[in-house]
Amino acid sequence: MAKSKEEIRLDLVVKAREILKDKGLDYLTARKLSDYSGYSVGTIYNQFKSMDNLIMWENCLTLDELYQYVSKAEKTSDVYKNLNNLLEKFVDFVLENKSLWFTLYNFHFRSIMEKYEISYLKRIVKIIKILEKNLFKLFAKVPSNERTLSTEVLGIAIFAMSSLLTTEKEFSYLKKKYVVKILFNTYLAGMSRLSKNGLF
């Protein structure tokens, strides 16, 4: 019985993910995916408009896995502790899935896509909302639009810092988890100070 279009697409997503985990992003080409999966290059491009479109599907899965992972962070009555628990889960996820995270991180810098699909953006927002919920508790007296902006800035900073975690050679002498934690908490301390002084 012939496979449906959806089954073929799922097969290709699974096989591409195996390549990414095992060999990394540089190895994932239409030709190599064809050789590995048994599907022709033509079939691959019938399923995905481009390799960037396939990568976006892979990144959707990575974001789904990240959301499930950070959602398991321990929750306490201490907002600072909760934020640090979220950060720790995020860092652990990146370190455990370096090639997948590098694929996602790199996608945002090299992608030729004019715009991202709504389903992809919704996944990013869903993760940011976890961070936002805790920041809103921390800065309850700050106007909503400024709290939203602070969440976006922190989200961008965490995303940027994640590149440090996926590099093997550069800054190898650093305790990267510690550096990320220091930068994260320096931001929180700075925002708290601004809030107390009425500057935020």
Side-chain angles (χ1 to χ4, degrees):
M1 184 175 174
K3 289 186 177 180
S4 68
K5 185 172 181 178
E6 290 73 21
E7 288 172 326
I8 293 171
R9 178 171 289 205
L10 179 60
D11 280 351
L12 288 167
V13 168
V14 168
K15 292 298 184 186
R17 199 160 190 79
E18 290 172 6
I19 291 172
L20 287 172
K21 286 180 177 180
D22 188 45
K23 304 274 188 178
L25 179 59
D26 290 341
Y27 195 84
L28 182 60
T29 64
R31 172 55 56 200
K32 287 174 182 171
L33 178 57
S34 172
D35 292 343
Y36 186 70
S37 67
Y39 292 105
S40 70
V41 171
T43 298
I44 292 169
Y45 283 114
N46 280 336
Q47 294 293 323
F48 306 98
K49 300 172 203 170
S50 65
M51 288 304 287
D52 271 355
N53 185 248
L54 170 60
I55 293 297
M56 189 168 67
W57 276 72
E58 296 298 336
N59 290 343
C60 282
L61 288 179
T62 300
L63 290 170
D64 287 343
E65 290 170 9
L66 173 62
Y67 178 80
Q68 293 300 321
Y69 199 86
V70 298
S71 294
K72 294 175 183 171
E74 182 187 355
K75 296 171 183 70
T76 71
S77 57
D78 184 335
V79 180
Y80 279 106
K81 178 74 173 165
N82 291 343
L83 284 164
N84 274 276
N85 288 343
L86 286 171
L87 177 70
E88 188 172 334
K89 281 288 187 184
F90 171 77
V91 169
D92 287 345
F93 179 85
V94 172
L95 290 174
E96 290 169 19
N97 300 279
K98 282 185 179 181
S99 60
L100 294 177
W101 191 258
F102 177 79
T103 300
L104 187 145
Y105 187 88
N106 191 53
F107 178 71
H108 286 266
F109 290 96
R110 69 168 189 81
S111 176
I112 59 170
M113 299 183 77
E114 292 181 11
K115 61 181 182 177
Y116 300 117
E117 291 184 16
I118 295 296
S119 60
Y120 182 75
L121 295 174
K122 281 182 176 179
R123 285 171 165 88
I124 294 173
V125 169
K126 191 175 175 183
I127 293 166
I128 292 292
K129 288 287 183 189
I130 299 175
L131 184 63
E132 185 178 62
K133 183 179 177 183
N134 284 280
L135 278 179
F136 274 30
K137 289 178 184 175
L138 190 61
F139 304 120
K141 295 180 181 178
V142 174
S144 178
N145 61 329
E146 292 181 19
R147 285 182 299 180
T148 299
L149 179 60
S150 71
T151 303
E152 291 170 356
V153 170
L154 185 55
I156 291 167
I158 294 169
F159 184 70
M161 287 187 288
S162 71
S163 68
L164 176 69
L165 299 168
T166 58
T167 56
E168 297 295 336
K169 295 177 184 175
E170 295 84 358
F171 309 108
S172 59
Y173 59 92
L174 290 175
K175 294 181 178 177
K176 295 176 182 179
K177 286 180 78 169
Y178 180 71
V179 170
V180 171
K181 188 171 185 177
I182 288 291
L183 291 171
F184 179 80
N185 282 285
T186 299
Y187 177 87
L188 293 181
M191 297 310 289
S192 294
R193 184 74 177 169
L194 288 173
S195 180
K196 285 177 184 175
N197 290 343
L199 300 173
F200 170 64

